[in-house]
Amino acid sequence: MLDANIIRENPEMIREMIRNRNKDQAPLDKFLENDSKWRSLTDEGNRLRKQRNEVSLQISKMKGEEKEAKIKEMRLVSDRIKEIDEELVVCDEARTDGLLNIPNIPHPSVPIGKDEHDNVVVYEWGQKKTFDFKPLEHFEIAEALDIIDFERGTKVAGSGFYCLKGDGARLERALISYFLDRHKDQGYTEVFPPVVVNTQAVIGTGQYPNLKNDMYYLERDDMWLNPTAEVPVTNLLQGEILDKSQLPINYTAYLPSFRREAGKHADTRGIIRVHEFNKVEMVRFVEPEGSFDVLERLRMDAEELIRELDLPYRVLLLCTGDMSFSCAKCYDLELYVPGKDAWLEASSCSCFTDFQARRARIKYRPEPHLKSEFVHTLNGSGLALPRTMVAILENYQNKDGTVTIPEVLRPYMRGQEVIGN
């Protein structure tokens, strides 16, 4: 959430920003209209309260008709104050709703663009593997090796769900353990938060109301299935004021994540776009100064995992029109998959400045005698499991139908080197 003062003082700058981000300008109009009304009502209410207090002192010294007239006049003033208070509640709700739907301000280094076609490739790493046979797509490999059961996964939960089995389940578990262990080495503290979150949590990180149709809602309990571990992990510090000495705080977590993918069609077979998937997340809480330098380090933490898996990938700097709602700057890490001959996003690394912290009320005190300030939050996938699995199956496939297990994962699979029938 943006500072309301920034919007009041620079409405046209905010309007241009929203235009560059390809977002609806109606929330800005809603905020400005209701904010102006709210301030006017507040001023009127304060003036009337002051008048009532002053006249109340005078009434005690009055007598007769003059006193009755002033009492009657103050009853009307009190009635108007009550009306104002009721109007303020409605107005403040509308103002807050508008504010919650205004996106974050991009960093000056973010390219202006309409959609994913305007993203900038920062660099590529690794060599695309050449094969002396036609490489298969991941679902063909998985079905031949009997390590993913699409039919039974759909039977249990419906379209967009799947069941890992045998070495497929073991490979997924190996990846999760490997990612968490490496993040511990990188200085993150592992946490295992709840997989179900309340509405305040999804408001805090910006998924609500912006992405409410893309999440699974548990109406009876007013709870949400975790859309990404960023939500519960960031909100672990919701409403807290930290000491400067506590920063930076670096958390990592594995959780299953759930996405309805509302409005998106399952136009790809396999596990590229699914409703439930595992993911390891990195979340950082830092002082405002230097937070974009921290983003570069966070991105490298995710890149280290990909490099150690020896998977070719590229880094994209997202343009204004393709960044998510809460981001001030975002990099996507995309893995190359030869079977599909495509790039697949496996990680997004983002700096949110104080946008999430303001919504979740996460502050720190720079010095004991100074006023508290909002921290800056960052997060990155380290990594999303389905697409990492796709990249491993397609890049490490062999002509005989087997799949070589990446060397760094073998200790987690009891020394096994190959997945085969």
Side-chain angles (χ1 to χ4, degrees), residues 32-50:
L32 291 173
E33 177 185 351
N34 286 281
D35 185 58
S36 177
K37 184 178 179 182
W38 180 86
R39 285 187 290 164
S40 176
L41 287 169
T42 300
D43 288 343
E44 182 184 357
N46 290 338
R47 178 175 56 78
L48 290 176
R49 283 185 176 86
K50 182 181 178 182

Side-chain angles (χ1 to χ4, degrees), residues 108-372:
S109 63
V110 174
I112 296 174
K114 183 178 180 181
D115 53 32
E116 68 273 10
H117 299 101
D118 295 318
N119 294 336
V120 176
V121 178
V122 180
Y123 61 80
E124 294 183 14
W125 183 91
Q127 295 295 318
K128 296 179 181 178
K129 186 176 179 180
T130 57
F131 297 85
D132 59 359
F133 61 94
K134 184 180 183 303
L136 301 177
E137 292 196 51
H138 75 281
F139 54 85
E140 299 173 297
I141 300 167
E143 288 175 334
L145 292 174
D146 194 27
I147 58 174
I148 304 180
D149 194 328
F150 296 104
E151 184 178 342
R152 290 190 173 97
T154 300
K155 179 170 63 176
V156 169
S159 176
F161 295 88
Y162 61 99
C163 174
L164 294 168
K165 60 185 295 190
D167 283 343
R170 295 178 65 239
L171 181 61
E172 180 102 342
R173 178 161 51 89
L175 282 165
I176 293 168
S177 296
Y178 162 64
F179 292 160
L180 290 172
D181 285 350
R182 286 297 289 117
H183 288 325
K184 182 178 184 299
D185 295 340
Q186 293 167 341
Y188 294 83
T189 299
E190 184 177 345
V191 293
F192 201 171
V195 76
V196 180
V197 295
N198 57 33
T199 298
Q200 182 52 53
V202 286
I203 288 174
T205 43
Q207 280 76 12
Y208 186 93
N210 181 55
L211 294 174
K212 64 180 180 181
N213 292 328
D214 209 24
M215 296 187 290
Y216 285 98
Y217 180 54
L218 309 176
E219 185 174 2
R220 180 175 177 179
D221 303 298
D222 189 24
M223 302 284 276
W224 305 80
L225 292 184
N226 167 57
T228 168
E230 166 197 346
V231 177
V233 175
T234 302
N235 281 279
L236 289 175
L237 301 186
Q238 180 190 124
E240 296 189 26
I241 299 178
L242 308 166
D243 290 331
K244 180 179 179 179
S245 61
Q246 293 177 269
L247 296 177
I249 294 175
N250 304 324
Y251 286 147
T252 185
Y254 150 71
L255 277 185
S257 301
F258 301 87
R259 306 268 176 89
R260 292 184 64 242
E261 300 287 0
K264 298 172 185 173
H265 300 285
D267 55 357
T268 54
R269 291 180 60 186
I271 61 174
I272 291 175
R273 188 180 294 281
V274 290
H275 294 309
E276 178 184 355
F277 57 97
N278 292 316
K279 189 152 71 101
V280 173
E281 201 81 16
M282 300 172 286
V283 176
R284 289 192 177 215
F285 305 84
V286 301
E287 294 182 70
E289 185 177 357
S291 61
F292 288 98
D293 293 330
V294 176
L295 174 61
E296 303 301 318
R297 296 197 293 273
L298 175 76
R299 192 191 81 214
M300 285 308 304
D301 289 342
E303 288 188 51
E304 280 184 17
L305 306 180
I306 303 173
R307 293 187 182 199
E308 290 172 8
L309 288 168
D310 199 17
L311 295 171
Y313 72 96
R314 68 181 184 181
V315 179
L316 297 183
L317 174 59
L318 300 196
C319 71
T320 53
D322 197 37
M323 282 198 311
S324 68
F325 177 84
S326 300
C327 290
K329 186 174 183 177
C330 179
Y331 293 101
D332 274 2
L333 309 183
E334 296 186 332
L335 306 177
Y336 177 72
V337 288
K340 192 174 179 61
D341 187 24
W343 297 94
L344 298 179
E345 176 200 331
S347 175
S348 283
C349 298
S350 308
C351 177
F352 304 102
T353 58
D354 65 357
F355 191 82
Q356 292 181 332
R358 192 175 293 276
R359 296 167 76 107
R361 307 180 313 281
I362 306 171
K363 295 184 172 185
Y364 82 108
R365 204 174 298 281
E367 299 295 341
H369 63 284
L370 295 180
K371 183 180 178 181
S372 61

